[in-house]
Amino acid sequence: MRSYRRRPLVLPVLLCAAGLLVVRPATAEGEPGGDGGPGPGLSAQVARLYEEAAVATQEYEAGRVEAEAQRVKAQRLEQLLVRERQGITVLREDLGRIARAQYRGGGGLPVAAQLVLSSSPDELMRGQRVLTRTNLAVDNAIGKSRRAESRLAADEARAAAARKALEGRTAGLAVLKKGIEQKLEQARWQLQGQADASVAAGACRGAERFDRPPASDARTWAVPVDGYTLSAGFGSGGALWASRHTGQDFAVPIGTPVKAAGAGRVVRVSCGGAFGIEIVLQHADGYYTQYAHLASVAVDQGESVSAGQWIGQSGTSGNSTGPHLHFEVRVTPDMGSAVDPVPWLAARGVPVG
């Protein structure tokens, strides 16, 4: 009944990483869950790995950007060094021309011969002063350029060393990031396996709760997941639906935290049927929201929740062809009374797209 087109699983770069996740088991540590299976823990592991993966991704991207900046800096220094060396070559050519001109003009003769051949002592002294000043100016220019060349070469060497160190660090972060992602992928499907077992048994596991970080603003409504791609929309057709699609699908990886769209009360937590594991909330304005195909739940029926509170984790339980959150807005708690959730959220200051 509810599906979305399969898309590659993409790790969200920023996935509610503003604070630390604190796990509060619904049952005593080591005791079995609500359906007699192993105690809570896998949901918390997936959430923790998501946080670690988000941090590793941020650090990797920061290192990559820094390494690229060092590469650009080293390249710029190399270009300056090439220009400085070209300038030294020109100065040396100028010095050679001066020396040749001096030789042709008698500068290569002994001073005694120059005295004999010059028309006057003043002429001789003027020529000597001009040549001396010219030679000194060229020598100073060459010395200055050589010092600049030496400084640029040292700067270039330091930039190259820094770039190499950063590239090594970035490579290490890439390995760490990949390792976390592999663990996360394995834990995700283990979590989904538990969800499928719960749906098959028709009994939900005990809620595993996560204390979300304090809200950064006073929003009364929130998008139900982060890092999503919109897939099947409200009213769309498909072979898997009896008539038309009655919600909006958000394509996200298994284990993505699912948030309450608004403050309300949990009126249903069920684990069977086409929706798989689902939660239905009742809101003060008379509307209801449904969150379906979950992998785990973090609330119990009858609880009150706030906007943005984590109420479960996404999955692909029930009649689903791939990991996603099926989100509905209804005028009653039951199916058949759905309205388009996208304009409904937009009217409450939560644009989706």
Side-chain angles (χ1 to χ4, degrees), residues 148-199:
E149 178 186 22
S150 178
R151 287 194 301 272
L152 284 170
D155 290 342
E156 181 193 29
R158 284 193 293 270
R163 181 191 63 187
K164 185 176 180 180
L166 283 168
E167 287 175 347
R169 175 174 172 269
T170 303
L173 287 172
V175 172
L176 175 64
K177 176 174 173 288
K178 183 177 180 180
I180 294 173
E181 289 173 353
Q182 289 174 342
K183 291 179 182 177
L184 175 58
E185 182 71 5
Q186 182 180 6
R188 266 198 307 236
W189 287 105
Q190 289 177 347
L191 181 65
Q192 183 59 47
Q194 288 185 352
D196 292 339
S198 296
V199 171

Side-chain angles (χ1 to χ4, degrees), residues 2 36 50 61 75 83 110 143 176 224 241 258 292 319:
R2 303 300 188 267
Y50 258 112
E61 288 300 321
Q75 187 177 44
R83 287 201 293 269
L176 175 64
W241 307 310
V258 173
N319 186 13

Side-chain angles (χ1 to χ4, degrees), residues 11-13 15-22 44-58 180 184 213 257 310:
L11 175 69
V13 176
L15 186 62
C16 301
L20 297 177
L21 297 175
V22 179
Q45 181 185 359
V46 171
R48 176 180 56 79
L49 286 170
Y50 258 112
E51 183 182 354
E52 290 181 2
V55 172
T57 298
Q58 290 175 350
I180 294 173
L184 175 58
W310 294 350

Side-chain angles (χ1 to χ4, degrees), residues 82-162:
V82 168
R83 287 201 293 269
E84 196 65 42
R85 287 168 177 164
Q86 290 173 344
I88 291 174
T89 300
V90 171
L91 287 170
R92 285 172 177 164
E93 291 174 353
D94 289 343
L95 184 59
R97 283 194 293 272
I98 291 170
R100 289 191 295 274
Q102 184 180 5
Y103 179 80
R104 288 193 298 270
L109 296 175
V111 175
Q114 293 183 42
L115 286 170
V116 172
L117 296 174
S118 61
S119 58
S120 69
D122 290 339
E123 181 185 352
L124 175 63
M125 295 304 295
R126 282 196 301 272
Q128 287 295 325
R129 283 196 297 271
V130 170
L131 288 172
T132 299
R133 286 197 297 269
T134 303
N135 288 337
L136 182 61
V138 174
D139 285 341
N140 287 340
I142 290 176
K144 182 178 179 181
S145 293
R146 283 175 175 168
R147 289 191 295 274
E149 178 186 22
S150 178
R151 287 194 301 272
L152 284 170
D155 290 342
E156 181 193 29
R158 284 193 293 270

